Amino acid sequence: MAEGIVFLAVAGFAAGLGVAMPLGAIGVLIVREGMLRGRRSGLAAASGVATVDTLYCLGGC
């Protein structure tokens, strides 16, 4: 049971990185955030996207 949850969490995090890395609309916003407010803010924005995608995957997969 716990192994399945960990697997889904890792899969959701990987999906979040997959969404955050290509320069689509969200990727451009993350890059812009990092350029305007610094690397720390850019990483926080990317982590937020990855977290939301993880939660989405845990709830809908």
Side-chain angles (χ1 to χ4, degrees):
M1 176 78 177
E3 292 176 7
I5 292 173
V6 171
F7 175 76
L8 289 175
V10 170
F13 187 77
L17 288 178
V19 169
M21 292 181 83
L23 286 181
I26 300 299
V28 170
L29 289 173
I30 291 171
V31 169
R32 182 177 181 271
E33 182 75 19
M35 289 173 50
L36 292 177
R37 298 187 185 189
R39 181 179 293 174
R40 193 172 194 179
S41 292
L43 288 173
S47 296
V49 170
T51 300
V52 169
D53 285 341
T54 300
L55 293 174
Y56 179 77
C57 184
L58 287 174
C61 287

